[in-house]
């Protein structure tokens, strides 16, 4: 397949020939004969030994050079997308530039933002997290420079020939000699698409990938790749990816990629930690990077044994001199990835993308602790954000500072309780396995190194997988598939949605299209079907003097189905009259619009990181979940309500219109997808002045003034990183306030206080109660003293058996004093509680016998035991007690 797909006229014209690598077996194209594809480990990192670029680049310079190169060749620059893939529901983080255009553009649903285009897209890939710092080349965060072209049947932009020509022209413009360039054939697949590709190898390093995406997954497709079947798709997409950081590294030929992209950060960290790096360390680190591709065939441990021998160093030298430097490399990389994630609004948590952010935070904190915390994690992130402020949002720093401080506090608590958690697990299982390590991290945030140290103190050996964090990250990279609505298809025209044309329509007439039992499909309807967290409308359908209650309304594709309370006596083609339960609809319209207002108010008060996490509207009260890093305080609730009221009383127009997805995204960005990602080429956009804009299919009032009033009922933390706000609006809000007021008035009446003096009266009553409790406690103590004296007086041979009318706490006090003075004490309360003290060590046996006589159970120590039995069998218990002490 690849030979046919990738045998280009360009190669014949420019003197390239096809060869087969004698090491890996892959085919490649080169202008000079070769035995191998040159990509390490088949070849070596030649660029570390000799200069291949004719100049050095900083990150910003290289990005600008790439974009300008393609801009001058007819490509439109496109602004980078967030690293959190808010326009997708299958993944959390952007792994490649093509993620920006999947699925809507690649499926042909919407046009691209420009065609052709050039972009430099920040990406986060956690799959190599365990290798970062160690190999000299792996990163968790990187920028994928890319040019894309979308070829439609009616509009061919460019395809394989031009793509390869652009790559060669770019590389040669940087000073790279053509004979040093190899194009390695490779099948590519991902995200439901596939195609042939070239990996562009220079000096042993893959600098770019040129993918010719022309296939899509198909159950019966004629082409099979890696066990998956594909078929041709009408769009042919040029999907390229050029590694910005790799270009910079090659231009500088530094010992590792980290010196190339984080020079200032590394210098600062070396200074603060006291870690030194001289020429010898540079040579060792460069050799390590040079040989690092062998890690793929040897594994991490095997590679380290090989490398130490190859470098002519000792294990102690490696551990003392090289490992600390590698940890500084990892810290620089982790904190830059965090900077991208946090400035793009990801909230550290134990769910979704927040989980991956927390993983990096805790790994970074662990490294900092090992160095004695010479600088705070926030300061490192702040350095990155300021350094890369051209592509990071510096205004997010105050929010990030608070997030990081909270995460540090949580991590310290985790470390504090970690010892006991691990000890309990060891006591139960006598060992710690890989699944235990993952569970301890997932559930308690305990890093495997910490678990290992705690376990080894208890004599239990723990093996940490080399790729532990990669395994953990992989579990959390993709979104779980949610339960979907029942799928139905109807061979019918789409129902005309009158509720969009006029959301204030209360009655309508329409023709019957189909009847199936109690299911009714009309040509048009004003009944809103359930969707987007908004319940359906209810009401009635009338025809021929009959009235049917509409109890549910659902939408399947474009067809709206009304579920009636009875099977209707109707015929297809007959005209019926629909009547909406208007009070219900009006309340839901106000409630739904109020939710948009509430989101805008939350953003103003809590910060622009706030993102809708879930919602459910109802007639009387609704819930609204938001991503936020801490509980919402009472003071913040009041501020949110004030901001919401400002928007409401401003009587801002609520404008709803259908727009093409591309036009909407270009105009408003991905904030559109607050409430989820609606399907279709066109989306309905609801805009409330400059306060809020979302893709939303619900019904709304025409202007915010119609909401009238919004009241937050309560807030609660429903999961890590998510707060739930329960609110109400309009008439429902008034009813709620009136009910609360009735409660206050009733409370004031019951304690005989004016409403404005209610708090003072309650405080007074609380103080009176405290005094009464103190007085009662004194009396109780006096009473217990009398009881104790009587029991001591009635004891025989150092023993006492008694039935007491006391609560458990009081019985315990009596027992504590008596046990100091007597040899044996047996107490039974009227509620059936049993307590036994026996200096001779028979307490457990006696308690069990007494409890058994009372159809109960008991347990405890040899000298003290407790139990509970049936209060109706107290006399039997007392008899058993007397038998225990040998007296009847």
């Amino acid at each position: 397949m690849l030979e046919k797909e990738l045998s280009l006229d360009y190669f014949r014209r420019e003197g390239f020939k096809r060869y087969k690598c004698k090491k890996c077996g892959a085919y490649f194209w080169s202008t000079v004969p070769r035995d191998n594809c040159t990509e390490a480990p088949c070849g070596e990192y030649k660029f570390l030994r000799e200069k291949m670029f004719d100049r050095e680049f900083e990150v910003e310079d290289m990005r600008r050079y790439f974009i300008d190169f393609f801009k001058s060749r007819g490509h439109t620059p496109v602004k980078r997308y967030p690293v959190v893939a808010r326009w997708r529901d299958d993944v959390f983080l952007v792994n490649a530039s093509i993620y920006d255009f999947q699925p809507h553009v690649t499926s042909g649903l919407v046009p691209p933002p420009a065609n052709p285009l050039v972009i430099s897209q920040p990406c986060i890939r956690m799959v190599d997290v365990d290798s970062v710092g160690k190999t000299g080349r792996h990163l968790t965060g990187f920028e994928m420079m890319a040019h894309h072209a979308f070829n439609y049947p009616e509009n061919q932009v460019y395809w394989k020939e031009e793509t390869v020509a652009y790559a060669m022209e770019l590389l040669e413009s940087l000073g790279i000699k053509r004979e040093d360039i190899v194009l390695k054939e490779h099948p590519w697949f991902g995200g439901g698409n596939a195609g042939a590709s070239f990996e562009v190898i220079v000096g042993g390093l893959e600098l770019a990938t040129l993918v010719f995406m022309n296939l899509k997954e198909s159950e019966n497709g004629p082409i099979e790749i890696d066990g998956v079947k594909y078929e041709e798709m009408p769009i042919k997409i040029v999907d390229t990816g050029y590694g910005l950081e790799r270009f910079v590294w090659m231009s500088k030929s530094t010992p590792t990629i980290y010196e190339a992209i984080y020079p200032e950060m590394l210098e600062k960290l070396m200074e603060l930690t006291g870690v030194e790096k001289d020429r010898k360390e540079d040579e060792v680190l460069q050799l390590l990077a040079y040989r690092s591709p062998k890690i793929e065939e040897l594994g991490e441990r095997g590679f380290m044994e090989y490398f130490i021998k190859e470098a002519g160093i000792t294990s102690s030298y490696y551990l003392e001199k090289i490992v600390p430097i590698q940890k500084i490399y990892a810290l620089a990389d982790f904190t830059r990835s965090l900077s991208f994630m946090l400035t793009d609004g990801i909230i550290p948590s134990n769910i979704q993308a927040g989980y991956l952010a927390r993983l990096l935070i805790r790994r970074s904190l662990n490294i900092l602790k090992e160095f004695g915390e010479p600088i705070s994690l926030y300061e490192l992130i702040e350095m990155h954000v300021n350094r890369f402020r051209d592509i990071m949002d510096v205004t997010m720093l105050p929010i990030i500072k608070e997030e990081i401080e909270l995460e540090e506090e949580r991590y310290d608590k985790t470390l504090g309780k970690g010892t006991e958690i691990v000890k309990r697990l060891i006591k139960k299982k006598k060992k710690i396995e890989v699944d235990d390590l993952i569970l301890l991290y997932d559930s308690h945030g305990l890093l495997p190194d910490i678990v290992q140290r705690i376990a080894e103190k208890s004599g239990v050996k723990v093996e940490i997988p080399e790729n532990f964090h990669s395994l953990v990250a992989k579990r959390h990279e993709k979104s779980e598939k949610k339960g979907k609505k029942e799928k139905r298809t109807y061979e019918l025209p789409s129902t005309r949605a009158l509720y969009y044309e006029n959301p204030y329509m209360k009655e309508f007439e329409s023709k019957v299209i189909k009847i199936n039992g109690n299911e009714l499909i009309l040509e048009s309807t004003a009944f809103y079907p359930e969707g987007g967290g908004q319940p359906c409308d209810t009401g009635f359908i009338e025809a021929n003097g009959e009235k049917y209650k509409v109890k549910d309304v659902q939408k399947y594709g474009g067809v709206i189905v009304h579920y009636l309370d009875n099977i209707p006596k109707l015929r297809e083609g007959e005209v019926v009259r629909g009547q909406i339960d208007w009070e219900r609809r009006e309340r839901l319209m106000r409630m739904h619009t109020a939710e948009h207002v509430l989101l805008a108010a939350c953003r103003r008060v809590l910060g622009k990181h706030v993102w809708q996490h879930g919602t459910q509207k109802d007639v009387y009260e609704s819930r609204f979940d938001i991503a936020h890093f801490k509980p919402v305080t009472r003071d913040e609730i009041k501020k949110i309500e004030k901001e919401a009221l400002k928007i409401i009383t401003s009587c801002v127009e609520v404008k709803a219109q259908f727009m093409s997805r591309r036009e909407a995204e270009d105009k408003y960005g991905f904030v559109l997808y607050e409430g989820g990602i609606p399907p279709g080429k066109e989306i309905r956009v609801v805009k409330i002045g400059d306060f809020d804009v979302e893709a939303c299919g619900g019904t709304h009032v025409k202007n915010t003034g119609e909401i009238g009033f919004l009241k937050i009922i309560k807030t609660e933390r429903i999961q890590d990183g998510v707060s739930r706000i329960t609110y109400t609006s309009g008439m429902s809000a008034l009813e709620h306030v009136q009910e609360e007021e009735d409660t206050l008035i009733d409370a004031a009446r019951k304690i005989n206080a004016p409403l404005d003096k209610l708090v003072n009266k309650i405080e007074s009553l609380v103080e009176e109660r405290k005094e009464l409790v103190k007085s009662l406690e004194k009396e109780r103590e006096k009473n217990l003293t009398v009881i104790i004296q009587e029991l001591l007086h009635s004891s025989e041979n150092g023993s006492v058996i008694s039935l007491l009318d006391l609560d458990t706490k009081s019985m315990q006090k009596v027992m504590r004093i008596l046990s100091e003075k007597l040899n044996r004490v047996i107490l039974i309360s009227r509620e059936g509680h049993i307590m036994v003290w026996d200096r001779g060590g028979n307490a457990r046996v006696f308690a069990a016998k007494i409890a058994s006589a009372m159809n109960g159970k008991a347990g405890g120590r040899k000298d003290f035991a407790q139990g509970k039995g049936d209060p109706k069998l107290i006399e039997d218990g007392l008899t058993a007690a007397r038998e225990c002490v040998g007296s009847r």
Side-chain angles (χ1 to χ4, degrees):
M1 178 189 116
L2 293 179
E3 182 176 9
K4 179 184 174 184
E5 290 283 332
L6 297 176
S7 182
L8 308 181
D9 289 339
Y10 177 88
F11 291 146
R12 288 185 282 276
R13 191 169 63 248
E14 298 295 328
F16 282 82
K17 291 187 178 178
R18 192 174 190 249
Y19 301 93
K20 184 176 183 179
C21 180
K22 291 183 178 179
K23 291 190 176 181
C24 70
Y27 287 94
F28 63 91
W29 295 81
S30 171
T31 57
V32 295
R34 300 179 188 279
D35 289 334
N36 67 69
C37 63
T38 75
E39 182 180 16
C42 297
E44 295 180 326
Y45 284 159
K46 179 181 174 182
F47 73 96
L48 289 176
R49 300 291 172 88
E50 62 180 82
K51 284 281 187 181
M52 308 204 75
F53 279 36
D54 58 12
R55 58 169 281 197
E56 292 187 3
F57 286 89
E58 297 300 329
V59 170
E60 295 86 350
D61 300 330
M62 189 67 248
R63 185 193 304 122
R64 192 179 307 112
Y65 186 94
F66 182 88
I67 289 172
D68 287 347
F69 177 90
F70 282 97
K71 184 179 178 181
S72 68
R73 287 156 180 79
H75 293 68
T76 301
V78 171
K79 187 179 176 183
R80 70 103 162 172
Y81 285 40
V83 296
V84 53
R86 302 210 185 271
W87 57 95
R88 297 181 62 166
D89 58 9
D90 57 336
V91 295
F92 300 127
L93 297 173
V94 172
N95 280 190
S97 62
I98 196 64
Y99 274 44
D100 297 349
F101 313 111
Q102 289 175 319
H104 300 120
V105 176
T106 55
S107 66
L109 189 66
V110 299
N115 196 14
L117 63 85
V118 59
I119 190 172
S120 188
Q121 175 60 42
C123 302
I124 307 290
R125 282 187 191 171
M126 302 290 282
V127 67
D128 296 320
V129 65
D130 291 295
S131 299
V132 172
K134 297 175 183 176
T135 61
R137 60 190 171 93
H138 283 103
L139 302 167
T140 56
F142 62 96
E143 282 188 60
M144 183 176 283
M145 304 183 297
H147 62 97
H148 294 280
F150 301 85
N151 297 285
Y152 300 91
E154 69 281 2
N155 179 24
Q156 297 293 311
V157 183
Y158 64 81
W159 192 223
K160 299 171 188 175
E161 303 283 344
E162 297 88 341
T163 301
V164 172
Y166 280 138
M168 298 302 296
E169 189 181 351
L170 172 69
L171 294 176
E172 289 178 322
S173 75
L174 294 167
I176 295 173
K177 296 173 184 175
R178 180 167 289 200
E179 57 265 31
D180 287 328
I181 303 171
V182 167
L183 290 102
K184 185 177 177 180
E185 296 178 1
H186 191 269
W188 177 91
F189 50 90
N193 297 113
S197 77
F198 286 119
E199 293 174 346
V200 183
I201 316 299
V202 177
L205 183 68
E206 182 187 344
L207 280 184
T209 303
L210 315 176
V211 178
F212 307 108
M213 187 191 293
N214 63 339
L215 303 174
K216 64 179 179 180
E217 282 188 26
S218 174
E219 194 173 328
N220 299 311
I223 302 167
E224 187 171 318
I225 303 174
D226 200 39
V228 179
K229 291 185 177 181
Y230 295 87
E231 66 179 6
E232 288 259 358
M233 59 184 191
I235 308 174
K236 291 179 170 52
I237 300 167
V238 172
D239 169 25
T240 68
Y242 293 72
L244 170 60
E245 290 79 6
R246 291 190 173 196
F247 271 73
V248 174
W249 185 21
M250 186 169 286
S251 80
K252 293 184 176 182
S253 295
T254 52
T256 73
I257 197 170
Y258 313 111
E259 283 93 356
I261 57 179
Y262 309 124
E264 301 88 356
M265 174 70 78
L266 296 182
E267 185 180 349
K268 180 76 172 176
L269 285 171
M270 295 281 190
E271 177 190 335
L272 290 170
T273 58
V275 173
E276 296 180 349
K277 181 162 73 82
D278 58 21
R279 179 178 290 181
K280 182 181 178 181
E281 277 78 55
D282 273 339
E283 289 174 354
V284 171
L285 287 162
Q286 186 174 48
L287 179 63
L288 188 137
Y290 191 72
R291 299 295 191 202
S292 67
K294 288 186 74 68
I295 202 169
E296 294 168 17
E297 56 184 89
L298 298 175
E300 186 178 321
R301 291 188 179 92
F303 172 73
M304 293 321 306
E305 290 173 7
Y306 154 81
F307 174 72
I308 287 169
K309 186 177 179 181
E310 173 80 3
I313 58 175
T314 64
S315 296
S316 59
Y317 172 84
Y318 180 79
L319 290 171
E320 292 169 16
K321 293 290 186 180
I322 303 302
V323 170
I325 298 170
Q326 292 176 328
K327 287 180 178 178
I328 285 174
Y329 289 159
L331 190 57
D333 175 71
F334 293 164
T335 48
R336 187 179 74 147
S337 293
L338 277 170
S339 301
F340 274 122
M341 295 167 86
L342 299 179
T343 54
D344 279 356
I346 293 174
I347 306 291
S349 67
N350 59 10
I351 58 168
Q352 300 180 357
Y355 180 95
L356 301 172
R358 179 169 285 170
L359 187 152
L360 288 181
I361 287 172
R362 293 194 169 177
R363 289 210 70 180
S364 300
L365 287 173
N366 210 35
I367 295 171
L368 283 170
K369 285 180 186 295
E370 288 181 34
F371 285 121
E373 300 179 283
I375 188 171
S376 72
L377 179 56
Y378 170 72
E379 287 175 292
L380 293 179
I381 291 171
E382 184 181 33
M383 285 174 65
H384 279 305
V385 175
N386 285 320
R387 164 74 174 81
F388 298 104
R389 64 191 303 131
D390 58 330
I391 56 169
M392 292 187 190
D393 185 356
V394 72
T395 66
M396 286 291 289
L397 281 173
I399 293 167
I400 293 171
K401 187 173 191 295
E402 198 171 351
E403 287 175 334
I404 294 298
E405 287 171 352
L406 276 171
E407 285 299 303
E408 288 175 338
E409 186 181 319
R410 288 170 180 149
Y411 186 47
D412 286 340
K413 286 180 181 176
T414 294
L415 295 180
K417 66 183 181 182
T419 302
E420 286 306 312
I421 293 170
V422 176
K423 282 182 177 178
R424 284 199 300 270
L425 185 61
I426 290 172
K427 187 177 180 181
K428 181 181 178 182
K429 293 188 65 176
K430 312 300 181 190
K431 59 183 177 179
I432 301 284
E433 299 173 304
V434 174
D435 285 345
D436 297 321
L437 287 174
I438 293 174
L439 180 64
L440 286 167
Y441 183 81
D442 267 356
S443 302
H444 305 287
L446 290 169
L447 292 167
D449 317 65
I450 296 165
V451 176
Q452 186 182 54
R453 287 198 294 270
I454 297 169
E456 286 178 354
K457 285 180 182 178
S458 300
V460 174
K461 190 176 180 181
V462 175
E463 289 289 335
I464 302 174
E466 294 174 1
N467 62 337
F468 173 81
H469 289 93
S470 300
L471 289 172
V472 171
K474 196 170 183 180
R475 290 189 176 196
H476 295 269
E477 278 183 335
K478 295 186 177 181
S479 174
E480 291 182 9
K481 290 183 179 179
K482 297 177 182 177
K484 292 188 177 180
K485 183 177 177 178
E486 179 190 359
K487 193 171 183 180
R488 290 193 187 184
T489 55
Y490 291 87
E491 297 298 323
L492 296 171
S494 294
T495 310
R496 182 179 166 189
L498 300 175
Y499 49 84
Y500 282 153
E501 296 176 19
N502 179 11
Y504 292 83
M505 183 181 289
K506 301 174 185 177
E507 295 184 357
F508 67 97
E509 288 188 349
S510 184
K511 189 187 294 182
V512 174
I513 298 295
K514 188 173 181 62
I515 302 168
N516 180 26
N518 70 330
E519 299 175 13
L520 177 67
I521 299 172
L522 304 175
E523 186 178 53
S524 60
T525 186
F527 283 93
Y528 178 81
E530 180 185 18
Q534 181 175 326
C536 68
D537 286 330
T538 58
F540 296 94
I541 295 288
E542 293 182 78
N544 305 322
E546 297 282 347
K547 197 171 186 180
Y548 306 97
K549 185 177 181 180
V550 178
K551 59 181 185 178
D552 189 18
V553 186
Q554 297 292 329
K555 187 175 183 181
Y556 304 100
V559 176
I560 297 172
V561 180
H562 308 75
Y563 293 86
L564 309 182
D565 62 343
N566 284 304
I567 297 174
K569 299 172 183 176
L570 298 169
R571 297 185 306 277
E572 292 180 7
E574 192 173 348
V575 175
V576 300
R577 173 176 288 274
Q579 184 178 355
I580 308 296
D581 179 343
W582 180 247
E583 183 183 356
R584 173 185 168 86
R585 158 71 79 79
E586 190 175 38
R587 289 191 184 219
L588 287 170
M589 286 167 65
R590 286 174 175 159
M591 202 74 82
H592 200 146
T593 314
E595 180 197 286
H596 290 237
V597 170
L598 184 58
L599 176 60
C602 285
R603 278 229 170 95
R604 288 186 160 204
V605 174
L606 303 176
K608 58 184 179 181
H609 64 283
V610 168
W611 193 267
Q612 182 177 318
H613 198 270
T615 180
Q616 184 58 55
K617 270 74 72 177
D618 207 345
V619 177
Y620 298 106
E621 63 179 56
S622 300
R623 62 171 174 79
F624 177 57
D625 302 339
I626 58 169
H628 187 43
F629 53 89
K630 62 179 182 178
V632 183
T633 66
R634 175 62 188 155
D635 185 54
E636 287 169 337
I637 289 171
K638 289 159 78 173
K639 288 178 180 177
I640 292 167
E641 288 178 331
K642 284 180 181 177
E643 285 296 330
L645 193 60
K646 285 179 186 176
I647 299 171
I648 291 168
T649 54
S650 296
C651 297
V652 181
E653 180 187 11
V654 180
K655 188 177 179 182
Q657 62 175 327
F658 282 93
M659 300 175 70
S660 76
R661 186 182 294 273
R662 172 56 53 217
E663 181 190 357
E665 285 184 1
D666 288 347
K667 191 169 184 178
Y668 302 117
F670 302 114
V671 73
L672 284 168
Y673 303 132
E674 281 283 357
I677 305 152
K681 189 172 183 178
E682 281 200 330
I683 57 177
R684 185 168 178 264
V685 177
V686 176
K687 186 172 184 293
I688 302 177
D690 295 325
F691 297 103
D692 183 73
V693 59
E694 295 178 41
C696 181
T699 56
H700 299 83
V701 294
K702 289 180 180 176
N703 124 358
T704 58
E706 293 182 48
I707 297 170
F709 180 42
L710 183 150
K711 182 77 184 108
I712 294 175
I713 297 171
K714 65 177 179 178
T715 65
E716 56 188 319
R717 198 80 165 157
I718 60 167
Q719 64 186 96
D720 194 20
V722 181
S723 288
R724 171 164 293 171
I725 298 175
T726 303
Y727 71 97
T728 184
S729 66
M731 193 63 70
S732 298
L734 176 63
E735 289 166 358
H736 171 78
V737 171
Q738 287 175 339
E739 286 173 10
E740 295 279 290
E741 189 177 36
D742 287 344
T743 301
L744 290 172
I745 290 170
D746 189 41
R749 180 183 58 77
K750 285 181 178 177
I751 62 172
N752 195 28
L755 196 57
D756 60 343
K757 302 292 183 185
L758 180 60
V759 174
N760 292 337
K761 186 62 182 280
I762 290 173
E763 288 174 349
S764 174
L765 290 172
V766 168
E767 288 302 315
E768 285 179 24
R769 183 181 180 280
K770 285 180 182 176
E771 291 302 317
L772 283 170
V773 168
K774 285 180 184 178
S775 178
L776 285 169
E777 192 60 37
K778 286 179 182 178
E779 290 299 317
R780 187 179 289 113
E781 289 295 328
K782 286 180 184 178
N783 186 41
L784 289 180
T785 302
V786 172
I787 291 171
I788 291 165
Q789 291 301 322
E790 288 178 352
L791 289 172
L792 286 171
H793 181 72
S794 64
S795 65
E796 295 180 12
N797 301 319
S799 299
V800 69
I801 300 170
S802 182
L803 173 65
L804 299 177
D805 192 8
L806 295 175
D807 58 33
T808 306
K809 187 176 179 182
S810 298
M811 275 180 69
Q812 288 170 341
K813 287 183 179 180
V814 172
M815 176 60 81
R816 188 167 57 250
I817 294 170
L818 292 179
S819 64
E820 293 172 359
K821 301 178 183 294
L822 299 173
N823 295 324
R824 185 180 295 116
V825 181
I826 300 176
L827 304 178
I828 303 176
S829 77
R830 294 203 177 277
E831 285 77 30
H833 293 287
I834 304 161
M835 292 185 188
V836 179
W837 158 261
D838 185 68
R839 203 180 298 276
N842 295 309
R844 192 161 52 205
V845 175
F846 290 170
K849 187 173 181 179
I850 297 165
S852 176
M854 296 172 63
N855 287 343
K857 291 183 179 180
R861 306 190 310 266
K862 289 182 179 180
D863 59 345
F864 179 72
Q866 298 183 79
K868 180 77 166 64
D870 187 344
K872 295 175 183 177
L873 301 175
I874 285 175
E875 285 302 324
D876 294 339
L878 289 169
T879 300
R882 295 186 191 102
E883 289 175 354
C884 288
V885 297
S887 62
R888 302 180 72 89

